[in-house]
Amino acid sequence: MARRLIVIGGDAAGMTAASQARRRRGPDELEIVAFERGHYTSYSACGIPYWISGVVPDPEQLIARDPETFRSDFHIDVRLRHEVTAIDLDRREVVARDLEGGGEVRERFDSLMYATGATPIKPDWARTDVAGVFGVQTLDDGAALREWLEADPKPRNAVVVGGGYIGVEMAEAILRRGLSVTLIERAEQPMSTVDPDMAELVSDAMRSLGVQIRTGLSVIGLEERDGRVCAVVTTEGPVPADVVVLGLGVRPNVGLAEAAGLPIGPSGAIRVDRRMRVPGVEDVWAAGDCVESLHRVSGMPVHIPLGTYANKQGRVAGINIGDGYATFPGVIGTSVTKVCDLEVGRTGLRERDAVASGFEFVSVIAQSTNRAGYFPGARPMAVKLIAEKASGRLLGAQIVGWSEAAKRIDPLAVALWNKMTVDDMTALDLGYAPPFAPAWDPVLIAARKAVDALAAANR
């Protein structure tokens, strides 16, 4: 009799795991059933802002594999619009509700893949029937927002609440559609994923692009007219809004896991080992935005919801479910984003992370350009490096700049991954030609500046 794998969640981690398991075990050896409460499988949630803006014209372009492909090519029983409501570990069953047809089904499992992702943070004031308030986490969310933006009466004023990745990307998307955009952030700067000195550069650039940024205030309610939102109420008064987008971040979706007694780590996400197994429970695996990972620099468990990690972790889990062997080595938090032409990249620890982890460090910011200064299109770029005081080891890096800025975070991520010192980095053999970089690349300039700062700090 074939073993049975149940997958909860039909996006990156879940379907990557299912596909990898299938590659190693045929349908006669392993039956796979995947439950997905939405309308789509294996899509790019990161691409939703670019669909909202119109840069990507068709949501189908964001789908890597549709359900029919999984059914026909991979022999995976994909059940859309089915929400798993309970996990019974003693009986080795899941209970799922059919969201459209009604009723419940019970399905047994030998192996369970938990890949429920994350859920948008939604404050109490946003839990309302007032129309025009949107989270943006799934393609279904994106479709609802697009419909609102294109319906009559067309909205003119948008408020984005929260200045993280989702917030700044949605601010750009809505700005491109011709709306007036106000971004409200409770902290003193948007982009808390970088240090305040770098976030200030982001804030200044966003204002120059036409985004109104209101920092240091909180949203406490909504005003409505005829059942539609007309303003958000803040601690400093109302802000007009025909549409409100929540960009307050996400939490790991662990409700089912907690109810089933699966272990939750200090980050609030599910604990897993290096093979993506849930410890203490036989043949239960988890991956993606619902799990915590080991940070390779701080050594601490962290929850960093990124699609790159979800795909890698799903692959590791699937290989192991299929009786192979693979491990996930941890994360360093490398990420990039953009607001119109402004690019932002980061990797490793911020200053406050380094303090929390007990490091003594120095930090420097080097100003340079993306191309040779005399070459057309040369634009400013700021590179920040954080290095351990005693050893000179790179602990973190951040970049804010224009064209060709963000992907320069990649050589810094490689250096960080391999525990290089900033002194090692001064000799990196990076590519040079005037259209692409100055003779001294901004990464090398920052490394040299960090070496000088370390020398001064260690005298």
Side-chain angles (χ1 to χ4, degrees):
M1 183 176 179
R3 291 179 60 81
R4 199 164 210 235
L5 167 64
I6 295 291
V7 178
I8 307 175
D11 200 5
M15 298 315 292
T16 300
S19 301
Q20 287 294 327
R22 170 60 72 232
R23 289 187 175 100
R24 285 158 178 78
R25 290 289 179 266
D28 293 338
E29 298 176 285
L30 182 67
E31 181 184 356
I32 305 176
V33 179
F35 290 105
E36 166 55 45
R37 66 183 178 184
H39 292 88
Y40 307 93
T41 56
S42 292
Y43 60 87
S44 171
C46 300
I48 293 173
Y50 307 105
W51 172 43
I52 298 296
S53 71
V55 171
V56 177
D58 188 340
E60 299 297 320
Q61 294 175 266
L62 302 181
I63 299 172
R65 286 198 181 102
D66 61 25
E68 191 51 46
T69 299
F70 283 115
R71 293 176 185 131
S72 61
D73 296 358
F74 290 85
H75 304 286
I76 296 171
D77 180 3
V78 178
R79 303 187 191 179
L80 297 179
R81 303 295 290 145
H82 278 71
E83 181 177 18
V84 174
T85 57
I87 301 169
D88 189 329
L89 293 175
D90 293 329
R91 299 181 65 175
R92 309 293 283 182
E93 287 182 343
V94 300
V95 180
R97 182 171 67 244
D98 185 339
L99 298 177
E100 293 187 353
E104 285 187 342
V105 295
R106 284 182 172 269
E107 298 288 353
R108 69 165 187 88
F109 64 85
D110 298 295
S111 299
L112 178 68
M113 180 68 212
Y114 191 103
T116 54
T119 56
I121 294 172
K122 193 172 187 179
D124 289 340
W125 59 261
R127 301 177 190 276
T128 173
D129 293 331
V130 176
V133 181
F134 300 90
V136 185
Q137 180 73 8
T138 67
L139 273 183
D140 291 321
D141 297 334
L145 176 55
R146 283 266 307 209
E147 183 179 353
W148 183 266
L149 292 173
E150 293 169 357
D152 290 323
K154 292 193 184 303
R156 294 179 298 170
N157 299 306
V159 170
V160 177
V161 184
Y165 288 120
I166 296 172
V168 299
E169 290 171 358
M170 289 307 304
E172 174 191 353
I174 297 172
L175 190 69
R176 284 184 178 274
R177 295 185 68 96
L179 280 72
S180 172
V181 179
T182 300
L183 187 147
I184 297 176
E185 169 57 51
R186 184 170 53 186
E188 293 306 312
Q189 297 286 356
M191 290 298 293
S192 63
T193 50
V194 297
D195 287 322
D197 47 11
M198 299 295 277
E200 185 176 3
L201 301 176
V202 179
S203 183
D204 290 345
M206 289 179 67
R207 286 191 173 98
S208 73
L209 294 167
V211 178
Q212 301 175 60
I213 298 179
R214 304 280 302 275
T215 58
L217 73 160
S218 299
V219 175
I220 55 176
L222 298 170
E223 291 183 359
E224 64 172 287
R225 185 182 299 116
D226 299 326
R228 298 166 64 97
V229 67
C230 64
V232 297
V233 181
T234 77
T235 46
E236 295 182 3
V239 179
D242 306 310
V243 59
V244 177
V245 177
L246 305 179
L248 295 166
V250 297
R251 294 191 180 99
N253 186 357
V254 296
L256 276 174
E258 288 184 298
L262 301 183
I264 306 299
S267 71
I270 300 170
R271 281 199 298 118
V272 291
D273 65 16
R274 288 180 178 271
R275 297 184 68 193
M276 308 312 298
R277 294 178 299 197
V278 178
V281 191
E282 183 183 358
D283 245 332
V284 175
W285 312 75
D289 292 354
C290 59
V291 306
E292 66 181 20
S293 303
L294 173 70
H295 199 291
R296 287 171 60 93
V297 182
S298 70
M300 303 294 290
V302 293
H303 175 245
I304 303 179
L306 289 173
T308 50
Y309 299 156
N311 279 283
K312 293 172 187 174
Q313 291 170 347
R315 178 178 181 274
V316 168
I319 290 171
N320 289 314
I321 292 169
D323 293 335
Y325 182 85
T327 61
F328 183 71
V331 302
I332 56 174
T334 307
S335 57
V336 294
T337 191
K338 65 185 282 293
V339 187
C340 295
D341 293 330
L342 179 74
E343 301 179 3
V344 184
R346 62 147 299 181
T347 189
L349 306 182
R350 300 162 296 186
E351 287 186 356
R352 59 185 176 274
D353 302 323
V355 170
S357 300
F359 288 107
E360 292 186 3
F361 61 91
V362 300
S363 62
V364 299
I365 297 177
Q367 303 288 344
S368 184
T369 55
N370 59 332
R371 305 172 186 175
Y374 57 80
F375 198 88
R379 302 288 299 274
M381 181 187 309
V383 180
K384 179 172 185 174
L385 301 185
I386 301 169
E388 188 177 19
K389 182 178 177 182
S391 67
R393 176 167 67 108
L394 182 66
L395 299 176
Q398 300 160 32
I399 295 176
V400 176
W402 303 89
S403 176
E404 297 105 39
K407 287 299 282 181
R408 273 189 169 86
I409 206 69
D410 286 344
L412 293 166
V414 172
L416 188 66
W417 187 273
N418 289 286
K419 301 181 180 179
M420 293 178 67
T421 67
V422 289
D423 192 34
D424 294 333
M425 292 165 54
T426 60
L428 285 173
D429 193 354
L430 304 180
Y432 160 69
F436 304 107
W440 281 97
D441 190 272
V443 168
L444 302 180
I445 294 172
R448 288 170 55 192
K449 190 169 184 178
V451 168
D452 292 342
L454 285 167
N458 288 317
R459 285 195 186 109

Short mmCIF file of all heavy atoms in Angstrom, two decimals, residues 3 21 24-25 29 275 283 285 317-325:
data_model
loop_
_atom_site.label_atom_id
_atom_site.label_comp_id
_atom_site.label_asym_id
_atom_site.label_seq_id
_atom_site.Cartn_x
_atom_site.Cartn_y
_atom_site.Cartn_z
N ARG A 3 2.37 4.86 0.70
CA ARG A 3 2.34 5.81 1.81
C ARG A 3 1.61 7.07 1.36
O ARG A 3 1.48 7.34 0.17
CB ARG A 3 3.76 6.16 2.28
CG ARG A 3 4.45 4.99 2.97
CD ARG A 3 5.86 5.38 3.39
NE ARG A 3 5.87 6.51 4.31
CZ ARG A 3 5.63 6.43 5.62
NH1 ARG A 3 5.33 5.26 6.16
NH2 ARG A 3 5.67 7.50 6.38
N ALA A 21 9.34 15.40 -3.39
CA ALA A 21 9.00 14.06 -2.92
C ALA A 21 8.54 13.18 -4.08
O ALA A 21 8.90 12.00 -4.17
CB ALA A 21 7.92 14.14 -1.84
N ARG A 24 11.20 11.62 -6.27
CA ARG A 24 11.93 10.50 -5.67
C ARG A 24 11.05 9.28 -5.42
O ARG A 24 11.57 8.19 -5.22
CB ARG A 24 12.58 10.96 -4.36
CG ARG A 24 13.80 11.83 -4.63
CD ARG A 24 14.16 12.73 -3.46
NE ARG A 24 15.37 13.48 -3.82
CZ ARG A 24 15.38 14.55 -4.63
NH1 ARG A 24 14.25 15.00 -5.13
NH2 ARG A 24 16.52 15.16 -4.93
N ARG A 25 9.76 9.48 -5.41
CA ARG A 25 8.84 8.38 -5.16
C ARG A 25 7.65 8.48 -6.11
O ARG A 25 6.95 9.50 -6.12
CB ARG A 25 8.34 8.38 -3.70
CG ARG A 25 9.41 8.02 -2.68
CD ARG A 25 9.78 6.54 -2.78
NE ARG A 25 10.83 6.17 -1.84
CZ ARG A 25 12.12 6.15 -2.11
NH1 ARG A 25 12.55 6.48 -3.32
NH2 ARG A 25 13.00 5.79 -1.21
N GLU A 29 4.24 4.43 -4.94
CA GLU A 29 4.93 4.39 -3.65
C GLU A 29 4.46 5.48 -2.70
O GLU A 29 4.48 5.30 -1.48
CB GLU A 29 6.44 4.57 -3.86
CG GLU A 29 7.10 3.49 -4.68
CD GLU A 29 8.56 3.82 -4.91
OE1 GLU A 29 8.85 4.70 -5.75
OE2 GLU A 29 9.41 3.22 -4.23
N ARG A 275 16.75 19.32 8.87
CA ARG A 275 16.12 18.60 7.76
C ARG A 275 14.67 19.02 7.56
O ARG A 275 13.96 18.44 6.76
CB ARG A 275 16.21 17.09 8.00
CG ARG A 275 17.66 16.57 8.05
CD ARG A 275 17.70 15.07 8.19
NE ARG A 275 17.21 14.41 6.98
CZ ARG A 275 16.91 13.11 6.92
NH1 ARG A 275 17.02 12.34 8.00
NH2 ARG A 275 16.49 12.59 5.78
N ASP A 283 7.35 11.96 11.44
CA ASP A 283 6.98 12.21 10.04
C ASP A 283 6.11 13.44 9.83
O ASP A 283 5.22 13.45 8.99
CB ASP A 283 6.28 10.99 9.44
CG ASP A 283 7.11 10.37 8.31
OD1 ASP A 283 7.87 11.12 7.68
OD2 ASP A 283 7.00 9.16 8.08
N TRP A 285 6.62 17.50 8.97
CA TRP A 285 7.61 18.42 8.42
C TRP A 285 6.98 19.79 8.28
O TRP A 285 5.75 19.92 8.17
CB TRP A 285 8.09 17.92 7.05
CG TRP A 285 8.45 16.47 7.03
CD1 TRP A 285 7.58 15.40 7.04
CD2 TRP A 285 9.76 15.90 7.04
NE1 TRP A 285 8.27 14.22 7.05
CE2 TRP A 285 9.62 14.49 7.05
CE3 TRP A 285 11.05 16.44 7.03
CZ2 TRP A 285 10.70 13.63 7.05
CZ3 TRP A 285 12.13 15.59 7.03
CH2 TRP A 285 11.96 14.21 7.04
N ALA A 317 12.78 19.71 2.60
CA ALA A 317 11.77 18.84 3.19
C ALA A 317 11.33 17.76 2.21
O ALA A 317 11.23 16.58 2.58
CB ALA A 317 10.56 19.68 3.63
N GLY A 318 11.11 18.13 0.95
CA GLY A 318 10.66 17.16 -0.04
C GLY A 318 11.68 16.06 -0.31
O GLY A 318 11.32 14.89 -0.48
N ILE A 319 12.95 16.45 -0.36
CA ILE A 319 14.00 15.44 -0.55
C ILE A 319 13.97 14.43 0.59
O ILE A 319 14.05 13.22 0.38
CB ILE A 319 15.38 16.12 -0.66
CG1 ILE A 319 15.50 16.89 -1.98
CG2 ILE A 319 16.51 15.09 -0.54
CD1 ILE A 319 16.73 17.76 -2.08
N ASN A 320 13.83 14.93 1.82
CA ASN A 320 13.83 14.04 2.97
C ASN A 320 12.57 13.20 3.06
O ASN A 320 12.61 12.01 3.40
CB ASN A 320 14.02 14.86 4.25
CG ASN A 320 15.42 15.42 4.37
OD1 ASN A 320 16.40 14.72 4.17
ND2 ASN A 320 15.53 16.71 4.68
N ILE A 321 11.43 13.79 2.71
CA ILE A 321 10.18 13.02 2.69
C ILE A 321 10.28 11.89 1.67
O ILE A 321 9.76 10.79 1.87
CB ILE A 321 8.98 13.94 2.38
CG1 ILE A 321 8.74 14.90 3.55
CG2 ILE A 321 7.72 13.13 2.10
CD1 ILE A 321 7.76 16.01 3.24
N GLY A 322 10.98 12.16 0.57
CA GLY A 322 11.17 11.16 -0.47
C GLY A 322 12.31 10.19 -0.18
O GLY A 322 12.80 9.52 -1.10
N ASP A 323 12.75 10.13 1.08
CA ASP A 323 13.80 9.21 1.54
C ASP A 323 15.19 9.58 1.04
O ASP A 323 16.09 8.73 1.00
CB ASP A 323 13.48 7.75 1.17
CG ASP A 323 12.26 7.22 1.91
OD1 ASP A 323 11.96 7.75 3.01
OD2 ASP A 323 11.59 6.31 1.40
N GLY A 324 15.39 10.83 0.65
CA GLY A 324 16.73 11.33 0.37
C GLY A 324 17.32 11.96 1.62
O GLY A 324 16.84 11.73 2.74
N TYR A 325 18.36 12.76 1.43
CA TYR A 325 18.97 13.44 2.58
C TYR A 325 19.38 14.85 2.16
O TYR A 325 20.11 15.03 1.17
CB TYR A 325 20.20 12.69 3.10
CG TYR A 325 20.81 13.37 4.32
CD1 TYR A 325 20.31 13.10 5.59
CD2 TYR A 325 21.84 14.29 4.19
CE1 TYR A 325 20.83 13.73 6.71
CE2 TYR A 325 22.37 14.93 5.31
CZ TYR A 325 21.87 14.64 6.56
OH TYR A 325 22.38 15.28 7.66
#
